[in-house]
Amino acid sequence: MANGILNTLKRRLGLDVLEYGIPEHANTIKYSLGGMTLTSFSVLALSGLLLAQFYVPDPDRANASLHYLVDQVYLGWFLRGIHFWAGEVLTITLILHMIRVVFTGSYKAPREINWLVGVALLGVTIGLLFTGTVIKWDQEAYEALAHFLWSAEKFGIFGLPLTEAFASGVPLLSRIYMWHISLLPLITLPLIGLHLFYVKYHQLSALPDNPGTSVNIPFHRHLGYLTRSGAGVFLLICVLALTVAPPLGDKPVFGLEVTKPPWQFVWIYALENLWVPFLIVAPLAIGAFLVAVPFIDRSPETHWKKRPIAMAVLVFCIVLMAGLILWGKFTTMTHSM
């Protein structure tokens, strides 16, 4: 009788649509990196809702409101740590997820559109990370915003909505806060839904070693695996929040340039030292390259050993980005905005 009631509830709630088979290799870490990224995003969203209750998006009070949260609010330091480290973990799992997709050729037909949706999600994630850096409004935030405004001004009328002059009388920091908690999440959520839809529609990509021979398992088993891996991600975030405090400086001193950006952006700091316009050229070039990937590599082959050029490009990109990050960490700024 209990099974009958359960089955009836599944049909009434539409949960029976989740009872379909997926390849067994879905229950591995490398094929669950997308789910781990989604877990981190969920933690970011929930912790962000709580943080918003204490944050004051005004240039004169923003930094002080965060210091009040960390120093005076019960477990406020832990809440901010959760939010910060969720963003760090999300960045790493997202990068690893994209590397896995390229390594297994999962961007190829018929999954080109989902690759483009993933690139869009990467762009929005970068926007969330950047705006999150700025709204803490310390020296690092002020300098990051200065570099952003320099870039926006180079786009003339197209960059105007991103500058202080667009809405006279409204602090730019307040608008950036709105982008962080409203505009960018509203773009992210439908993109995530579309990404998941195409994963379901085209099904999980087959193993390059054994295409067409994967054993299927019920989706609820994969859901259980994702739940366990998500719990592991959340535990890691909590441990990091308990042991390593996220950086937070004092209110910025205008006109100074003495900090370096977070590691997610420090690579462009290194390029900027070589040629300042790289601040604009590099992100546009990388974005165009990522969009072009599935249209350049149109071979149906997915095994990495049979794709030497693609693998060489992947390794080159990883080494180049890692090298730029290390260079940015240890180089000295040679110019000022």
Side-chain angles (χ1 to χ4, degrees):
M1 183 175 178
N3 286 337
I5 294 174
L6 184 60
N7 290 333
T8 300
L9 280 174
K10 283 183 177 180
R11 287 194 297 271
R12 297 295 186 272
L13 297 173
L15 298 179
D16 53 339
V17 301
L18 299 177
E19 296 303 320
Y20 59 90
I22 63 171
E24 189 176 30
H25 62 268
N27 278 11
T28 57
I29 290 178
K30 65 181 181 180
Y31 279 89
S32 299
L33 288 166
M36 295 178 188
T37 304
L38 183 58
T39 296
S40 296
F41 178 79
S42 301
V43 173
L44 275 170
L46 292 173
S47 58
L49 285 172
L50 295 174
L51 286 172
Q53 312 308 309
F54 302 96
Y55 182 74
V56 182
D58 179 86
D60 293 327
R61 301 173 61 192
N63 183 264
S65 69
L66 286 178
H67 279 285
Y68 173 79
L69 169 75
V70 171
D71 298 331
Q72 303 295 326
V73 176
Y74 180 67
L75 291 181
W77 60 272
F78 180 63
L79 177 61
R80 183 168 183 267
I82 289 284
H83 194 69
F84 173 84
W85 285 109
E88 298 292 292
V89 172
L90 180 146
T91 305
I92 293 171
T93 56
L94 178 59
I95 292 171
L96 291 176
H97 177 57
M98 293 193 75
I99 291 174
R100 196 280 300 166
V101 168
V102 174
F103 185 78
T104 58
S106 300
Y107 56 83
K108 298 189 175 188
R111 299 178 177 85
E112 302 98 328
I113 298 299
N114 212 20
W115 168 263
L116 297 181
V117 174
V119 171
L121 278 168
L122 174 65
V124 177
T125 299
I126 291 171
L128 286 166
L129 290 170
F130 175 77
T131 53
T133 297
V134 171
I135 61 176
K136 61 193 178 81
W137 205 233
D138 55 7
Q139 194 65 35
E140 179 187 69
Y142 160 73
E143 294 178 22
L145 182 59
H147 286 243
F148 174 78
L149 291 177
W150 181 89
S151 301
E153 289 168 0
K154 301 305 176 186
F155 287 93
I157 192 171
F158 298 104
L160 181 62
L162 306 177
T163 65
E164 190 94 48
F166 181 72
S168 179
V170 179
L172 181 57
L173 183 65
S174 298
R175 289 167 49 215
I176 291 174
Y177 177 64
M178 183 277 294
W179 300 343
H180 186 71
I181 68 167
S182 178
L183 179 61
L184 292 174
L186 285 174
I187 296 173
T188 303
L189 291 174
L191 285 175
I192 290 175
L194 193 59
H195 200 59
L196 294 175
F197 166 77
Y198 279 122
V199 171
K200 170 66 169 65
Y201 181 73
H202 292 301
Q203 301 183 356
L204 196 69
S205 57
L207 285 172
D209 296 330
N210 301 295
T213 60
S214 298
V215 176
N216 277 0
I217 59 173
F219 178 77
H220 70 263
R221 278 183 55 189
H222 180 54
L223 200 58
Y225 184 87
L226 288 178
T227 301
R228 293 190 296 274
S229 60
V233 167
F234 181 63
L235 178 61
L236 173 62
I237 292 169
C238 289
V239 170
L240 289 169
L242 286 168
T243 55
V244 185
L248 177 62
D250 294 324
K251 191 175 178 180
V253 178
F254 295 171
L256 289 183
E257 190 157 351
V258 294
T259 69
K260 292 183 179 181
W263 70 270
Q264 294 96 331
F265 301 101
V266 78
W267 60 273
I268 202 169
Y269 178 97
L271 288 175
E272 190 185 340
N273 264 346
L274 294 176
W275 185 47
V276 177
F278 266 135
L279 194 60
I280 298 172
V281 174
L284 292 177
I286 292 172
F289 171 73
L290 290 175
V291 167
V293 164
F295 305 104
I296 295 174
D297 184 8
R298 301 192 61 81
S299 165
E301 184 59 60
T302 58
H303 197 286
W304 68 272
K305 289 183 178 179
K306 299 178 181 178
R307 300 161 55 221
I309 296 177
M311 292 301 98
V313 171
L314 175 62
V315 172
F316 173 78
C317 290
I318 294 172
V319 172
L320 176 63
M321 192 58 67
L324 287 174
I325 289 173
L326 291 174
W327 186 18
K329 280 291 184 183
F330 296 106
T331 192
T332 301
M333 174 61 76
T334 58
H335 71 280
S336 175
M337 286 298 171

